[in-house]
Amino acid sequence: MATLTINLPETVDIDKRSLSMLVASKLYEQGRVSLGQASDIAGLTKRSFIELLSDYGVSVFNFPVSDLSKEMINA
């Protein structure tokens, strides 16, 4: 896993865990990482990550409506 250093102004009041969760949830929302990868980035179990996703406005059901339609047809 790569390490990234970010310099934030001191006026930004966010701790490392919250910042990790913010980045992980956004990457998951964009489909750039899997649920497991996102939970690793956040330093959480999958269950804990899922439970916190809604706090960041992200749905755990992260796939396009077109994929959902296909799944319904194939069910």
Side-chain angles (χ1 to χ4, degrees):
M1 190 174 291
T3 300
L4 175 66
T5 302
I6 300 174
N7 296 316
L8 297 174
E10 289 183 22
T11 56
V12 176
D13 185 25
I14 190 167
D15 57 70
K16 286 183 181 182
R17 174 166 237 142
S18 296
L19 185 58
S20 294
M21 183 64 192
L22 182 64
V23 170
S25 63
K26 192 63 176 177
L27 289 172
Y28 177 70
E29 180 181 43
Q30 293 176 347
R32 299 186 70 186
V33 297
S34 68
L35 182 66
Q37 291 170 322
S39 64
D40 286 343
I41 292 167
L44 300 168
T45 64
K46 285 183 187 178
R47 180 181 176 148
S48 295
F49 183 74
I50 289 168
E51 290 173 355
L52 291 173
L53 275 177
S54 65
D55 294 346
Y56 292 83
V58 177
S59 172
V60 69
F61 303 107
N62 191 25
F63 44 84
V65 174
S66 60
D67 289 353
L68 180 59
S69 297
K70 290 175 190 173
E71 289 295 321
M72 295 296 284
I73 290 170
N74 294 327

